[in-house]
Amino acid sequence: KNQVEQSPQSLIILEGKNCTLQCNYTVSPFSNLRWYKQDTGRGPVSLTIMTFSENTKSNGRYTATLDADTKQSSLHITASQLSDSASYICVVRDTGTASKLTFGTGTRLQVTL
Amino acid sequence: KAGVTQTPRYLIKTRGQQVTLSCSPISGHRSVSWYQQTPGQGLQFLFEYFSETQRNKGNFPGRFSGRQFSNSRSEMNVSTLELGDSALYLCASRSQGENTEAFFGQGTRLTVV
């Protein structure tokens, strides 16, 4: 069964600090992995998308890494801001015309003063 | 370019009733997917439509159904509502191709009382 597990479940950090969120998946065959940011009460917004051959991808202060061998990904947030407070969801797509997305349950990040 | 539009934003229904939710995708996107999001389960895939055909289906009971019209707009119907159906229902649209991004709407918050 395809699964995506994220850790930690929740995280509180001080503004200006860095943090790293983890994602482990067992989705096969693998197509791509996305990190989404979801503000409370709103739909998820894509931060990065990575395919099998990509190891690192950045989007501003967000940097995602992918190790396709160990089936692990991380999302690193640099110099956190209050607006980074949200849920971060790791999503993996398998291949094929009937490909599906498998979602992690997310990491709830709170950035405080 | 307008984003994905879901209506209504909020809905309160009683047990046993049925409900229809609507999703208008981004212009030009022919794929529409529906997801249920609850605090305990995270995002769960309901079904995907492409060019008016259901291309993929998640593990939900037959009370959950959907359809897509020729203009790519989609509706989701839930019959005989149960308390456990209370959730945020999200719709996402994307253009053709495995690595294309899924753009999410703001969601419909359904509360069953």
Side-chain angles (χ1 to χ4, degrees):
Chain A
K1 181 182 176 185
N2 289 340
Q3 284 189 311
V4 175
E5 294 182 352
Q6 292 186 243
S7 62
Q9 198 169 34
S10 61
L11 186 61
I12 302 174
I13 61 173
L14 292 174
E15 186 181 30
K17 298 295 186 183
N18 304 334
C19 67
T20 300
L21 314 181
Q22 300 291 342
C23 172
N24 296 337
Y25 62 91
T26 59
V27 175
S28 182
F30 174 86
S31 176
N32 58 61
L33 183 148
R34 294 175 169 88
W35 282 94
Y36 281 89
K37 177 186 178 186
Q38 185 177 22
D39 293 313
T40 302
R42 304 179 75 87
V45 175
S46 177
L47 294 173
T48 65
I49 175 173
M50 303 179 72
T51 57
F52 186 87
S53 59
E54 296 174 301
N55 300 118
T56 304
K57 184 167 280 189
S58 292
N59 177 2
R61 295 180 296 102
Y62 300 101
T63 299
T65 65
L66 175 65
D67 186 333
D69 291 330
T70 61
K71 298 187 177 180
Q72 295 180 325
S73 175
S74 66
L75 180 70
H76 186 76
I77 304 175
T78 305
S80 61
Q81 300 175 0
L82 295 178
S83 60
D84 293 331
S85 297
S87 288
Y88 292 84
I89 304 171
C90 175
V91 185
V92 181
R93 180 178 287 279
D94 55 34
T95 61
T97 54
S99 67
K100 290 184 185 179
L101 293 177
T102 303
F103 290 80
T105 53
T107 292
R108 178 70 199 170
L109 173 67
Q110 185 177 348
V111 181
T112 65
L113 292 170
Chain B
K1 205 176 197 182
V4 178
T5 304
Q6 289 188 247
T7 56
R9 288 293 312 277
Y10 303 93
L11 204 50
I12 300 176
K13 291 284 189 178
T14 56
R15 279 180 298 174
Q17 285 187 310
Q18 74 163 19
V19 66
T20 299
L21 312 181
S22 178
C23 172
S24 293
I26 290 173
S27 177
H29 287 189
R30 293 159 64 190
S31 169
V32 174
S33 301
W34 287 90
Y35 302 88
Q36 181 194 67
Q37 187 175 36
T38 57
Q41 298 289 326
L43 271 155
Q44 291 187 288
F45 172 73
L46 281 156
F47 26 66
E48 179 182 13
Y49 287 88
F50 182 83
S51 294
E52 301 179 68
T53 301
Q54 187 180 87
R55 187 158 65 174
N56 225 332
K57 192 177 188 306
N59 298 320
F60 277 81
R63 299 185 298 106
F64 292 82
S65 63
R67 59 178 175 169
Q68 186 179 32
F69 302 95
S70 58
N71 62 358
S72 294
R73 190 177 71 84
S74 178
E75 287 182 348
M76 190 192 90
N77 185 275
V78 188
S79 62
T80 319
L81 284 166
E82 300 176 359
L83 295 179
D85 296 333
S86 295
L88 179 67
Y89 289 88
L90 289 162
C91 156
S93 78
R94 64 189 185 102
S95 54
Q96 202 167 356
E98 272 189 11
N99 294 330
T100 56
E101 180 181 343
F103 291 88
F104 284 83
Q106 301 279 45
T108 293
R109 171 73 64 185
L110 172 65
T111 302
V112 182
V113 297

